[in-house]
Amino acid sequence: MDLCIIGSGYVGLVSGACFAEVGHTVICVDNDLRKIDMLHRGQIPIYEPGLEELVLRNVAAGRLRFTHSIEDGVDNSQIVFIAVPTPPQADGSVDLTYIERVAREIAGVLKPGQYRVVVDKSTVPVKTGEKVDATIRRYNPTAEFDVVSNPEFLREGCAVPDLMKPDRIVVGSASQRATDLMKRMYEPFQVPILVTDVSSAELIKHAANSFLSLKISYINAVSAICEASGADVEMVADGIGMDRRIGRNFLNAGLGYGGSCFPKDVKAFIAISEELGVPFRLLQEVERINAGQLDVFIKKIKDALWVLRDKRIAVWGLTFKPDTDDVRNSVAIELVNRLVAEGAQVTAYDPKGMEKAVEYKLLPASLKLAHSPLEAAEGAEALLLATEWKEFARQDFAAVKAAMHTPLLFDGRNLLNPKTMRDMGFTYHGVGRP
Ligand code: UGA
C-alpha cells in the first residue's frame, strides 16, 4: 500500500522504515530540512540499532523516500500517519500545537474525491482524534477522510524489533472503511490487532505507559524496604516476576524511569484525569517515588564521601537507558548536574550519548568527558554507574580498580554482581540489595 508518515522522529522514521520493509511504499515527511537533507544523503539522524541498514535497504529498493512536502506525501498515499512531537507544557498537560498544525496542513492539501485515512500515531490525550477530525473538516468541509488512532508501543533502543513484532496493534476507528484499510496495512506483521473506538485507543497508550511506570515505582518502593531489612530486591523481583500474572519485565529497581515518554505521559495522564474530574492520585505517588530514587542514591554517595566538594567522581552512562543516544530527561544527566552543583569534579563517559548531551547543552560546564570507561575512572574517589550499558559490565575491573583513587562503586542500575565486585576489592553499593 502507499503510506505517508508526517514527522520523521523516533516513531515516524522507525515506523516508516519497518512499513517499507514489509513491502509498503512509504514517504516520510518532515519540516526540518536539515533532517531531510541528512536522510537524502543516507545519514540517520538518530542512533537506533538496526535502523540504518533498514533505511538504506528500503531506500535502495525504492520503497522509502523522504520529503519536506506534506502535499507530496498526502497526494501519493492511502493512509497518512501523524507522528509529530506532543511535548509537555509547564502544567503537565500536552502541547498539541504540532498535531493541530499538521491537521490544518492535511486539510489544505486534501483534494476532492481523494479518500484518506488520517492516523494519529503520536501519544495524545483522549479526545484528540475528535479534534483532529473537526479541524480537518473546518478547514476543508468537502474532504473525504476518517481519523483513526493507532498508538505506538515501541521502546527506544529496541525500536526496530518492537515495531516488527509487537505484542499487539491497536486500531481505534469509527469507520469500517478505515478499519479495513488499517487491517490490510498491518496484515504482513501477523500479530493480533485490537480494534476499538478512537477514545479507547488513545487511552490505552497513556494507561499502558502509566502502568509500566507504576511497576517501576512499585519495585523501587520495594527496594527501599529491602535495604531497610537486608533483603535483595533482585531476588524479590525474580520471585514475584515468575508469577505470570505479574511478569518480570519492568521490575528492575534503579535510579527511576526517565526519557521522553514515561515522565511526560504519567504527568499527562494525571492532567487528563483531573480535567475529566476523576483525579488519578495513585500516579502522583508513582511520580513521588520516582523522583525520590535519585535523592536516595545521592544520599548514599554522601554517606560514604561525606562532603562532595572537590571530590573526583566518575560517572558511567548519560543516556536515559542503554542502546540509544537519547539523553532527554535522563536521570543520569540530572545526577551529574546535581553532583557538579555540590562542587564535585565529575568525569563522565557514555558509549553513544555524549555528543547529543553536548549539543543540547545538558551538561554542566566543568564536567569532563572521557574517551573510555577506564579513562573516566582514573583518579576517581567513587565510580557511579547510571545507565546499564552492557559494555560497562564487560570492563576489566582490575584495571578500573587500579586506576581509581578509592575503589568505591555505586551501581545505580544493579548491573554488576555485588559478590564479584567485593571479591575484587571494591566497596559495592547497589539499589535495594545487600
Ligand atoms: C516507553 C514504553 O516502554 C514504550 O512501550 C512506549 O512506546 C514508549 O515509552 C513511548 O511512549 O514512546 P522508552 O521510553 O523508549 O519506552 O523506554 P523504556 O524501555 O520503557 O524505559 C523507560 C525508562 O524506564 C528508562 O529510563 C528505563 O531505565 C526505566 N526502567 C525501565 C526502569 O527503571 N526499570 C525497568 O524495569 C524498566
Side-chain angles (χ1 to χ4, degrees), residues 411-423:
D411 182 356
R413 296 289 176 185
N414 289 349
L415 178 73
L416 307 169
N417 184 302
K419 184 173 178 318
T420 314
M421 290 300 129
R422 287 187 185 123
D423 287 351

Side-chain angles (χ1 to χ4, degrees), residues 206-275:
H206 273 122
N209 272 4
S210 297
F211 187 80
L212 292 166
S213 307
L214 179 136
K215 261 187 114 172
I216 297 168
S217 279
Y218 184 87
I219 202 65
N220 281 333
V222 170
S223 80
I225 299 172
C226 288
E227 281 189 11
S229 62
D232 184 337
V233 73
E234 295 299 317
M235 293 184 186
V236 175
D238 288 346
I240 60 176
M242 283 168 83
D243 184 330
R244 267 175 295 159
R245 293 171 302 174
I246 299 173
R248 180 63 175 82
N249 290 333
F250 283 69
L251 283 181
N252 294 322
L255 298 179
Y257 60 79
S260 60
C261 303
F262 285 176
K264 161 179 97 96
D265 290 352
V266 171
K267 271 200 172 41
F269 209 25
I270 293 172
I272 292 163
S273 68
E274 280 166 359
E275 214 178 296

